[in-house]
Amino acid sequence: MVTSNSTRISGLARSTAVLQDDVLFGNSAAMAAVRVRADRISKTNVPVLLTGEGGTGKEAVARWIHARSEYASGDFVKVNCAAIPAGLLESELFGYEKGAFTGAKTPKPGRVELADRGTLFLDEIADLDLNLQSKLLHFLQDGTFSRIGDHFERKVNARIICACNKDLEKETREGRFREDLYYRVHVFRLTMPPLRDRRDDIPRMAEYFRQQYEKEFEMKSESFPWEMLEYLKSLAWAGNIRELSNGVARYVLLGPEASMHLQAQPGRTRSVAGPVTSVPARGSFKRIAKEAIQEMEKNVILESLRANKWNRRKTAQALKISYRALIYRIRDAGLASRRTMNRQNRQSEGSAVQAD
């Protein structure tokens, strides 16, 4: 339960923050292990450190643990240590008294106080300023703290969950993160696997997000065709679940012509169907979207042909389209048959031999 403005989630982030169990954990062995460990630790009050790439669902797991803990009746209070400037973070965390600084006309409780009898989720803790790390360490040791400008200590009973997508051990070795704080937050660790390691969960996630965004945007959208779901499973998803969620949002808003994958961004590559071609710099949105969809369809057909050893009738059955429609799409996509490709390869090899 979240009641304060500081902990509300808006827009595209909402669907990735609270996921249904079957969507969050899916069917992969890696996530099954995470669920077993998360369930075990939820019954205790030991600090938890969630690690993994950005967008893998660390906050969603933190909320899952909170909902099953003895602190579930309290608030889940999130603090993004990377998003709040260092000069403001102390007052956001611990609050301040009236007159503590210019503009402090009334006392304000910090997020630590708001988390009393609930869960304090410190996201991106590796980005916490070194000076503030000392005060946080003091709080984690005995649950006491002081507001800025206060003359006495307050005590809070809160569950502590931290998250980080950096190498916290490296940050500690290189002096950017206090070693004593590291051991304080690193009592129990859960590492979230990237989306590319749980590809079979992508169709269920995509459909879940589609339904959620239909409700949020009050719009109807087409169900994902089988070909598109297979295509989504072939992508690298450098942004993980967050990137998938954002892609589905574009799909619901713009329709099937929307690009589900930000192909033009550097470092984002396909993992199954080959290299990604860059989006043309000029041209209308509809033309660019149409070309992207045609490229997607071509790659799905090519992968299915290869999987079925170039048997076009089996490929048509696998894609759930008619044989005639498949032949038309093969020709329209400019895909040669395996026999033609082999013949072209032999001709090329022969020409190379003659040249030698």
Side-chain angles (χ1 to χ4, degrees):
M1 179 178 66
V2 180
T3 58
S4 65
N5 290 335
S6 62
T7 57
R8 289 176 185 167
I9 301 164
S10 61
L12 300 177
R14 186 180 294 114
S15 292
T16 55
V18 183
L19 298 177
Q20 294 177 351
D21 285 13
D22 59 338
V23 178
L24 174 59
F25 295 104
N27 298 314
S28 69
M31 285 303 295
V34 169
R35 181 169 189 167
V36 169
R37 289 166 59 82
D39 184 60
R40 186 176 303 167
I41 203 63
S42 66
K43 307 300 189 296
T44 71
N45 187 30
V46 299
V48 179
L49 177 64
L50 298 171
T51 60
E53 297 177 7
T56 50
K58 294 187 288 294
E59 181 181 342
V61 170
R63 289 178 178 276
W64 191 90
I65 293 172
H66 167 73
R68 285 155 183 79
S69 72
E70 62 183 33
Y71 297 90
S73 59
D75 288 348
F76 180 92
V77 180
K78 175 184 175 181
V79 180
N80 190 323
C81 300
I84 303 174
L88 300 177
L89 187 54
E90 183 177 3
S91 62
E92 284 293 323
L93 270 174
F94 300 107
Y96 53 82
E97 285 295 293
K98 178 181 178 181
F101 49 82
T102 303
K105 297 180 180 180
T106 58
K108 176 188 175 184
R111 300 191 193 185
V112 166
E113 283 183 74
L114 296 176
D116 190 24
R117 302 182 184 279
T119 296
L120 179 65
F121 177 56
L122 300 173
D123 197 13
E124 306 300 346
I125 192 170
D127 293 310
L128 194 64
D129 182 77
L130 270 172
N131 293 327
L132 196 51
Q133 288 180 26
S134 177
K135 189 167 183 176
L136 177 63
L137 176 64
H138 176 74
F139 166 69
L140 294 180
Q141 286 173 339
D142 55 16
T144 62
F145 70 97
S146 297
R147 291 181 182 177
I148 299 175
D150 207 347
H151 298 294
F152 64 92
E153 290 189 331
R154 302 169 186 266
K155 191 171 182 64
V156 164
N157 178 21
R159 176 76 186 262
I160 306 298
I161 301 179
C162 301
C164 178
N165 60 17
K166 292 184 178 180
D167 185 340
L168 203 55
E169 288 78 10
K170 180 180 179 182
E171 297 295 306
T172 302
R173 287 194 307 269
E174 297 181 356
R176 290 185 293 271
F177 198 82
R178 292 179 60 115
E179 185 176 12
D180 46 5
L181 180 58
Y182 168 77
Y183 288 115
R184 179 63 62 177
V185 301
H186 190 199
V187 178
F188 192 93
R189 185 172 189 156
L190 288 174
T191 300
M192 300 293 294
L195 189 56
R196 59 184 174 275
D197 288 347
R198 44 183 307 205
R199 297 183 185 282
D200 289 341
D201 294 334
I202 290 176
R204 180 181 294 178
M205 284 185 179
E207 180 57 25
Y208 171 81
F209 290 136
R210 188 182 70 84
Q211 294 178 13
Q212 292 299 308
Y213 284 124
E214 280 189 338
K215 296 176 184 177
E216 181 173 334
F217 301 145
E218 297 182 350
M219 299 177 66
K220 287 295 183 181
S221 62
E222 297 181 20
S223 298
F224 294 114
W226 179 89
E227 299 92 334
M228 179 174 285
L229 293 176
E230 287 300 303
Y231 171 72
L232 296 181
K233 288 169 63 176
S234 77
L235 298 173
W237 295 116
N240 294 295
I241 300 174
R242 185 182 298 119
E243 183 184 2
L244 175 63
S245 171
N246 293 348
V248 175
R250 288 192 296 274
Y251 177 88
V252 174
L253 284 170
L254 303 176
E257 288 188 342
S259 175
M260 290 281 290
H261 186 56
L262 301 181
Q263 298 182 4
Q265 292 194 9
R268 302 189 177 223
T269 56
R270 294 268 300 287
S271 59
V272 175
V276 177
T277 56
S278 60
V279 177
R282 297 181 179 179
S284 68
F285 172 80
K286 286 188 176 181
R287 183 176 68 80
I288 294 172
K290 182 178 180 181
E291 290 175 358
I293 293 174
Q294 288 174 339
E295 180 71 12
M296 176 189 74
E297 184 178 271
K298 174 181 176 179
N299 286 315
V300 169
I301 292 173
L302 182 58
E303 287 302 310
S304 187
L305 282 167
R306 288 172 177 166
N308 289 281
K309 299 180 179 179
W310 292 84
N311 186 311
R312 291 177 292 185
R313 292 197 180 278
K314 289 184 178 180
T315 299
Q317 293 174 358
L319 296 176
K320 297 182 180 180
I321 60 176
S322 68
Y323 179 76
R324 178 176 295 180
L326 175 64
I327 297 300
Y328 170 80
R329 294 187 182 189
I330 287 175
R331 291 173 179 170
D332 186 57
L335 291 172
S337 67
R338 182 176 62 171
R339 183 180 303 172
T340 302
M341 292 176 66
N342 289 340
R343 184 168 60 248
Q344 291 174 345
N345 289 337
R346 286 196 299 270
Q347 290 174 350
S348 297
E349 290 172 359
S351 299
V353 171
Q354 290 177 3
D356 290 342

